[in-house]
Amino acid sequence: MRWDASGAARAIAAAIETGMDFIEIALLDPASTDAALGRRLLDEASLPAVCSLGLPQAVWASHNPDGAIDFLTLALEKCAGLGATALTGVTYGGIGERSGLPPSYRELDNVARVIEAAARIAKGYGLLFGIEPVNRYESHLINTAAQGVAMIERVGADNLFLHLDTYHMNIEEKGQANGILAAREHLRYIHLSESDRGTPGEGTCDWDAIFSALAAIGFEGGLAMESFVNMPPEIAHGLSVWRPVAESSEEVIGRGLPFLRNKARQYGLIERGAA
C-alpha cells in the first residue's frame, strides 16, 4: 500500500511475473510517494500505470473543497511524475464517507467544484481524471453509474471519465449490465471485483452479463482485477472488510486472473493469444 522503494519493486515484479498489461497504484499518501523512483522502475519494466485514491477525511470534497483541491493537486503531480495515464477512484470523497442523509445540494456543488478544478489540473499534465461510484455503505454521494454520468456531464471536462466497479454495481445497479449501458461513452475503466471482494469467478457476480455488456458498448478501456487481501487496518475499516476474503493472494491470482482473462477473450475484449 506504500509506493516506496520496496513496495514499488515488489508490486512491479509481481505484475510482470503474472503477465499484467498495466498496474494500478494506490496513491493514498501522495506526499510519501517517490515518483521519480517509481517512474524509473515502471519504465525499466515497460509497465503502464494508472493511479487511484480516496480522499482522507480532513479533505473530503463535500465539506472542504479547498483542501480536496490541494490534496488532488499534489496527487496529480505525483501521478504525472510516475508517468501514469490517469488518476481515478473515489476522487470526489472518502471511502466510508456517510452523512446519514442523501447528498445535499451544497455537498454536490462542492464535489462538482473540486472535480472541475482537478480535471483542469489533470489536463495540464496530459492526464485523464476518473470518478468511481461506490456503494451506499462506503459513500452517500455517488453510488450508481447514472449518478456518475450526471456529475461528469454537469462538469463537462473532456478528460473526465467514469470508472465502474463490479462489486459496487452488484449492490447498487438494477443488473450490472444496465450500469455498464448507462455509463456507455463515459466508461473508460472498470474494476473486476467479485461480490465478496475475493477471488473473481467464485462469488455471485454475473460475469457473462458484465462482459457481454462491455462488448456491446465496444469497451476499449482498462480491465483491472481488484481483490482485497491482506488489507492494512485503516483501509479495511473504510471498506468494511472484517475477515479474509480469500485464502491468499496466490489464490486470487492463480484462479481469479485466468478466469477473467478467459472471459475477456470469450467476449472479444482481449486478443485470444494474449497472456
Side-chain angles (χ1 to χ4, degrees), residues 50-227:
V50 171
C51 294
S52 66
L53 55 75
L55 297 177
Q57 184 170 356
V59 295
W60 284 350
S62 61
H63 69 265
N64 184 2
D66 290 333
I69 292 169
D70 288 343
F71 184 88
L72 289 168
T73 297
L74 177 60
L76 287 162
E77 177 188 330
K78 296 289 188 175
C79 187
L82 285 161
T85 58
L87 178 65
T88 187
V90 192
T91 52
Y92 55 87
I95 300 169
E97 177 181 0
R98 298 182 303 274
S99 69
L101 297 168
S104 68
Y105 289 114
R106 181 179 181 182
E107 286 176 321
L108 293 178
D109 286 347
N110 285 341
V111 166
R113 177 186 157 201
V114 169
I115 292 173
E116 182 178 18
R120 183 172 60 252
I121 295 163
K123 190 168 186 176
Y125 286 116
L127 295 170
L128 299 173
F129 190 81
I131 62 173
E132 178 188 11
V134 295
N135 71 76
R136 68 191 72 181
Y137 308 110
E138 293 181 30
S139 175
H140 68 293
L141 296 170
I142 300 176
N143 304 131
T144 67
Q147 287 177 304
V149 167
M151 181 57 71
I152 287 172
E153 294 184 346
R154 172 178 176 173
V155 174
D158 61 7
N159 63 327
L160 278 178
F161 68 92
L162 194 66
H163 162 183
L164 292 181
D165 182 309
T166 54
Y167 167 81
H168 300 297
M169 296 166 70
N170 191 53
I171 297 170
E172 297 295 341
E173 303 290 350
K174 296 184 185 301
Q176 289 151 309
N178 286 331
I180 291 167
L181 295 176
R184 205 171 284 273
E185 70 267 21
H186 296 291
L187 181 62
R188 297 192 189 182
Y189 197 69
I190 187 165
H191 277 164
L192 303 172
S193 185
E194 192 47 90
S195 57
D196 63 350
R197 295 193 183 273
T199 305
E202 299 185 6
T204 61
C205 282
D206 189 341
W207 293 107
D208 286 303
I210 290 163
F211 279 98
S212 62
L214 290 170
I217 67 169
F219 181 76
E220 295 180 346
L223 297 162
M225 184 178 75
E226 183 182 56
S227 178

